[in-house]
Every structure is written in C-alpha cells, then in structure tokens.
Amino acid sequence: MRQLTVAVHAPDPITSAGLVSQLGTQQGIEIRDWEQRAEADVLVFAAEWLTPEIVLVLRRLAAEAGKPVVLVVSQIGEAELVPAIECRVVAVLPRSATTGERLAHAIRAASTGGGVLPPSLLGELLKHVERMQREVLDPMGVNTAGLTTREIDVLRLMADGKDTVEIAGELSYSERSVKHIIQGITGRLNLRNRPHAVAYAVRAGVI
C-alpha cells in the first residue's frame, strides 16, 4: 500500500487533535502540518457548516494547492454541496459519523481520483445534475459531456470506423462541415486527435 501524506485543518484544536488521532491508527497515512499542505497528497478540512467564508477558503486552497479535499462537516445541503465540489472537495463525511476507518477510506479514494458521498448527498447531487441538464443544457442542445447532438452523431460514426467522406454522406453534411465539427470538439475539449475524441465520448457514455 502506497504511503499517503495528509494535511489536516480544523476549526479548533480539539477537533484537529481528534482527527489526527483517528488517522494515527491507520496504516499507510502520514500526517503533515497544515503549513506543509502543498506537499500533501490529500487535504482533510473540517468545519461545522459550509458558510460562504469557508467556501472562500476552500476556493483559495483549490487555487493555491490544487489538492483533493476530504470535507468533514456537521451539516451540508445541496446549496453548499455544488460550490464545495467546484473547490475540489471530492469526499464529504458527516462529522458525527466520522471514524478513522471511514476517514482513511475517503482519503484513499480521493488520492486515486475517486470520491465518497453519503447516500442523501449523492441523491441531491444527481437531482442537481438532472435539473441542470433539463433547464440549462437541453435548451442549448448540449449534454453534460459538453457535446451537441450533431457532434455526438459525428463521433458515433467515427467510432464505427467511418472516414470524413463517409460521415458526410451519411449525415448529409459537406466534408468541410464534418472537419469543422471534429476540429470544434478537439479544440474545445482539449483532445489530441480523433481517437482521443472518440475515447472521451465513450467514457462520457454518450456513444
């Protein structure tokens, strides 16, 4: 198991000592001082509530360190969850139910690009995504992957192995239009080439 370094921030010394003590019993986790957070793999941030001031601190941390954050919080709702996720919070643990094992699990998940949310918050997040798709993206003809229906049609045919001429013929587009669509996808989403664009669409589940 790879050794993970973690920096812990809490609103008071007692909470900080409690979190450090819980993590001290977990193998493969090394605690760093908060001042050394730039060297840590994961940040653990504890708070009572996710106030606008705390969100501002998290936003600064995201810009400063760019590390995944495990948030230990007493109370959080949908309105606070989305701003937190925008600040690289990838795991949320209710403070009253946080144990050393759960905290270590969240840290390991965060270090590998995963996330941990309580079922109630996961449901709220899914509702938010569904509402965003329905109210914002659908009227624009775009999905959560950032692709339009026309772009998805082109990518689907690319995935079938068709070249520009064949795609143009099947969709009744000009070859120039097909090339423009593909260039738009790769440029906007920072994709290297056509295979990369197809792989992105497959991972996003749109083709």
Side-chain angles (χ1 to χ4, degrees):
M1 182 183 298
R2 184 172 76 88
Q3 186 85 358
L4 295 174
T5 55
V6 178
V8 177
H9 179 277
D12 58 80
I14 294 177
T15 302
S16 179
L19 291 172
V20 169
S21 176
Q22 287 180 326
L23 288 174
T25 64
Q26 303 301 309
Q27 292 185 346
I29 293 179
E30 177 185 343
I31 309 297
R32 296 283 179 89
D33 291 335
W34 185 247
E35 289 72 21
Q36 296 177 297
R37 58 187 176 275
E39 303 170 13
D41 296 307
V42 178
L43 305 181
V44 174
F45 194 98
E48 285 291 334
W49 298 277
L50 209 59
T51 63
E53 291 77 17
I54 295 296
V55 171
L56 183 59
V57 172
L58 291 172
R59 204 176 299 280
R60 287 174 181 162
L61 280 176
E64 167 196 303
K67 308 289 184 176
V69 176
V70 174
L71 180 65
V72 180
V73 66
S74 297
Q75 187 174 347
I76 185 173
E78 180 194 345
E80 298 85 26
L81 178 61
V82 175
I85 291 173
E86 292 173 350
C87 299
R88 292 190 58 81
V89 170
V90 298
V92 177
L93 297 177
R95 188 169 175 176
S96 60
T98 298
T99 64
E101 291 78 8
R102 289 178 178 174
L103 190 52
H105 170 71
I107 289 168
R108 294 187 183 106
S111 72
T112 57
V116 175
L117 287 177
S120 59
L121 284 182
L122 181 58
E124 292 295 331
L125 181 60
L126 291 174
K127 288 178 186 176
H128 175 81
V129 172
E130 181 184 11
R131 187 164 58 251
M132 182 177 68
Q133 178 71 52
R134 184 178 63 252
E135 298 177 1
V136 179
L137 299 180
D138 282 348
M140 298 171 60
V142 178
N143 56 35
T144 51
L147 297 167
T148 66
T149 301
R150 186 169 71 160
E151 289 171 338
I152 292 171
D153 289 340
V154 170
L155 286 166
R156 187 174 290 114
L157 292 174
M158 285 170 54
D160 289 338
K162 298 185 183 299
D163 60 22
T164 301
V165 175
E166 292 171 318
I167 294 171
E170 189 149 340
L171 296 178
S172 299
Y173 295 160
S174 68
E175 292 180 39
R176 183 177 180 181
S177 293
V178 173
K179 290 178 181 177
H180 181 73
I181 291 169
I182 296 170
Q183 289 170 355
I185 296 169
T186 55
R188 188 177 71 253
L189 300 176
N190 196 29
L191 304 172
R192 293 187 299 275
N193 47 39
R194 293 187 179 201
H196 193 190
V198 171
Y200 173 86
V202 170
R203 285 197 300 269
V206 295
I207 64 172

